[in-house]
Amino acid sequence: MSAQVEEDRVKQWESEQERLKRLLLEEDTDDWQRSPDFSGLERVGGVDLSFIKGDDMNACAQLVVLSYPDLKKVLYGDSQMVTLTAPYVAGFLAFRETPFLLQALQRLQESQPELTPQVVFVDGNGLFHYREFGLACHLGVLSGLPCVGVAKNLLQVQGVHKNEEHQSRIAALHKGGDSFPLTAASGKVLGKALRSCDKSSKPVYVSVGHKISLDTAVRLTQACCLFRVPEPIRQAAADQDDEQRVEDLKKNLFVYRIFFNHI
């Protein structure tokens, strides 16, 4: 691909981001979001695009819808192998991944609309982005659904850096629910670093996707975390989180011990 073609593509993408950004809503739009215990929320979704190791073009696009508040019943699942056509360009991940995640949501809305999630967790950033319009925002605006961006790694943008001060603030997150704001050089809060549960000292980075406020997004993220990553995303991912692998091994070991003690 020539440099001119690449430059033209980026300009087109920037223009499209700006257009969609004007449709973004950063406040709570549903009654359940304003409820202290999220009364009325029954279905939470998670989406993820998992790549095959060593292959950056073929991936598995996955959507899971879980029951809330128990997070135990899988109400719907969709998994499709896809071939990506757009190149990876920093800050424009949405143009590479959104089409396939959006198609998964559209398949659900066409086949079983009653199971459409009331909120979607996205494995990626929302407002916490180079131009304040990441993957979660892109998917939210195009789908019309409330979306929350949850990233496992810090995106160092707009004056937010993974420096000593940031590390010390992470160390001060003593329990699940503790958080601190991710403030841009402009003074705008773009998201929050959240210790999502007591079991994990590593934070996740939560930001608004669409049709939800930051405080509600953070509160809901914690409510949906049995482990470090929100359960809808964890179950949508092809590979389990390391912490969950450990928990599964512990459970298996416990079962084996009981079995062998009775033979």
Side-chain angles (χ1 to χ4, degrees):
M1 182 180 297
S2 70
Q4 183 60 50
V5 171
E6 183 68 18
E7 183 179 343
D8 291 344
R9 184 199 295 267
V10 168
K11 287 182 179 178
Q12 180 182 352
W13 283 351
E14 285 180 341
S15 176
E16 181 67 1
Q17 276 184 340
E18 284 300 316
R19 183 186 72 83
L20 293 175
K21 187 177 176 181
R22 291 194 287 270
L23 304 175
L24 180 66
L25 297 176
E26 300 179 40
E27 64 269 2
D28 296 329
T29 55
D30 294 327
D31 289 341
W32 64 263
Q33 296 168 327
R34 304 181 184 93
S35 170
D37 60 353
F38 299 119
S39 177
L41 178 61
E42 298 177 345
R43 301 175 306 281
V44 292
V47 291
D48 181 67
L49 202 69
S50 301
F51 288 87
I52 298 171
K53 190 173 182 179
D55 184 345
D56 63 357
M57 295 306 294
N58 295 294
C60 185
Q62 300 188 93
L63 163 66
V64 167
V65 181
L66 301 180
S67 57
Y68 185 88
D70 59 277
L71 303 171
K72 294 179 179 179
K73 185 177 181 181
V74 178
L75 302 175
Y76 179 88
D78 182 291
S79 181
Q80 295 277 339
M81 291 302 300
V82 299
T83 299
L84 283 69
T85 55
Y88 171 75
V89 180
F92 299 96
L93 181 67
F95 291 94
R96 182 169 164 83
E97 298 190 0
T98 298
F100 306 104
L101 302 178
L102 185 62
Q103 287 169 13
L105 287 168
Q106 290 171 339
R107 283 192 294 270
L108 167 56
Q109 291 170 325
E110 291 171 2
S111 63
Q112 294 178 275
E114 70 279 6
L115 296 181
T116 298
Q118 293 161 276
V119 62
V120 178
F121 284 95
V122 180
D123 184 13
N125 292 292
L127 280 179
F128 187 53
H129 176 264
Y130 301 92
R131 286 168 299 283
E132 299 178 22
F133 199 80
L135 177 61
C137 297
H138 207 114
L139 183 65
V141 169
L142 290 181
S143 68
L145 297 173
C147 283
V148 178
V150 181
K152 295 185 286 292
N153 299 306
L154 178 68
L155 184 66
Q156 301 188 72
V157 294
Q158 298 209 39
V160 179
H161 301 289
K162 194 174 183 178
N163 50 24
E164 288 185 10
E165 179 186 359
H166 183 81
Q167 295 294 353
S168 66
R169 299 190 77 179
I170 289 176
L173 302 175
H174 297 305
K175 64 182 186 303
D178 288 350
S179 67
F180 63 83
L182 301 169
T183 307
S186 66
K188 182 176 181 178
V189 175
L190 300 180
K192 286 190 176 183
L194 167 71
R195 179 164 179 170
S196 53
C197 66
D198 293 334
K199 300 173 184 177
S200 177
S201 60
K202 293 180 180 179
V204 291
Y205 299 96
V206 182
S207 56
V208 170
H210 184 49
K211 288 187 173 181
I212 195 167
S213 68
L214 179 57
D215 287 344
T216 299
V218 170
R219 196 162 53 91
L220 181 63
T221 297
Q222 188 201 359
C224 289
C225 283
L226 303 179
F227 302 92
R228 180 190 176 206
V229 177
E231 199 64 8
I233 291 178
R234 193 186 71 78
Q235 293 207 25
D239 295 318
Q240 291 185 344
D241 187 80
D242 288 341
E243 292 159 357
Q244 178 58 26
R245 269 198 216 101
V246 172
E247 290 298 322
D248 287 346
L249 288 171
K250 287 179 179 178
K251 289 177 184 178
N252 290 339
L253 181 58
F254 179 73
V255 171
Y256 293 154
R257 283 174 176 168
I258 293 177
F259 176 77
F260 284 112
N261 284 338
H262 285 80
I263 62 172

